[in-house]
């Protein structure tokens, strides 16, 4: 069986002002819902050391386009750490994907799944309204195709 993680295709959907604003509004609603859960993140960065933590993050092509539009990853050690993590901190908090926002080590899996499904449905509606297809891929492998090359 092919166990290579799914990688989102090139090119990604174009990030128009309208799509950007709709995703921004969606993320603001999601962040407000998560804040109401009153979970405290110690910002230890462990969960973004994906391989070591055993954390598999997936995202849609629309989320990836928004993430890259906010900030391009600049380095990638290919050791299973998210390329946006720098000295244990996320450098892409504004653009990070639904799965990144929802995951919390103290939140139960059922709650995370339910919140994630709700917001991915909304993401799908944004895509459909703009005539786009939704595809999903694994975060780190998909990002590895967009690392800025030195020189
Ligand atoms: S969610 Fe948990 S593991 Fe992840 S950075 Fe916050 S405290 Fe650390
Ligand atoms: S984008 Fe940020 S929150 Fe998401 S895995 Fe990477 S470092 Fe962690």
């Amino acid at each position: 069986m092919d166990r290579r993680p799914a990688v989102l295709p090139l090119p990604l959907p174009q990030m128009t002002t309208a799509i950007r604003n709709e995703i921004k509004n969606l993320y603001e609603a999601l962040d407000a819902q998560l804040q109401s859960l009153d979970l405290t993140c110690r910002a230890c960065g462990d969960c973004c050391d994906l391989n070591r933590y055993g954390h598999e993050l997936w995202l849609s092509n629309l989320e990836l386009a928004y993430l890259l539009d906010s900030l391009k990853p600049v380095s990638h050690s290919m050791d299973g750490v998210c390329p946006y993590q720098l000295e244990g901190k996320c450098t892409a908090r504004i653009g990070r994907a639904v799965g990144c926002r929802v995951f919390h080590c103290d939140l139960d899996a059922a709650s995370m799944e339910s919140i994630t499904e709700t917001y991915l449905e909304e993401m799908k509606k944004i895509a459909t309204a703009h005539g786009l297809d939704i595809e999903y891929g694994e975060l780190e492998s998909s990002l590895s195709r967009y690392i800025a090359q030195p020189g």
Side-chain angles (χ1 to χ4, degrees):
M1 185 178 29
D2 187 352
R3 299 187 70 84
R4 284 174 299 178
V7 177
L8 285 164
L10 290 165
L12 291 173
Q14 197 183 348
M15 192 46 57
T16 64
T17 301
I19 296 174
R20 189 182 294 113
N21 287 339
E22 287 170 43
I23 295 177
K24 179 173 178 283
N25 291 341
L26 186 63
Y27 283 163
E28 283 174 359
L30 171 57
D31 290 345
Q33 180 174 350
L34 293 167
Q35 268 177 20
S36 73
L37 299 176
D38 208 20
L39 297 161
T40 303
C41 174
R42 301 180 303 283
C44 65
D46 286 359
C47 58
C48 305
D49 188 344
L50 303 164
N51 278 5
R52 199 162 60 88
Y53 197 83
H55 190 188
E56 191 169 282
L57 275 170
W58 286 61
L59 78 175
S60 64
N61 50 345
L62 208 48
E63 292 165 87
L64 182 59
Y66 186 87
L67 176 60
L68 290 166
D69 184 64
S70 73
L71 182 72
K72 301 260 184 310
V74 290
S75 67
H76 194 219
S77 54
M78 302 300 288
D79 58 0
V81 180
C82 174
Y84 281 115
Q85 197 194 59
L86 195 64
E87 295 174 357
K89 303 283 182 284
C90 176
T91 57
R93 287 188 62 78
I94 290 172
R96 70 199 196 286
V98 170
C100 296
R101 289 168 195 270
V102 173
F103 181 84
H104 193 288
C105 54
D106 290 336
L107 187 58
D108 64 281
S111 298
M112 283 194 272
E113 189 178 333
S114 164
I115 298 169
T116 300
E117 285 304 316
T118 299
Y119 284 87
L120 288 184
E121 267 309 307
E122 294 302 314
M123 194 67 70
K124 204 185 289 181
K125 285 181 195 167
I126 294 174
T128 303
H130 291 275
L132 301 168
D133 292 326
I134 277 274
E135 296 179 71
Y136 298 92
E138 190 270 328
L139 175 81
E140 191 206 358
S141 306
S142 298
L143 277 174
S144 68
R145 306 177 73 182
Y146 298 92
I147 307 294
Q149 297 301 316

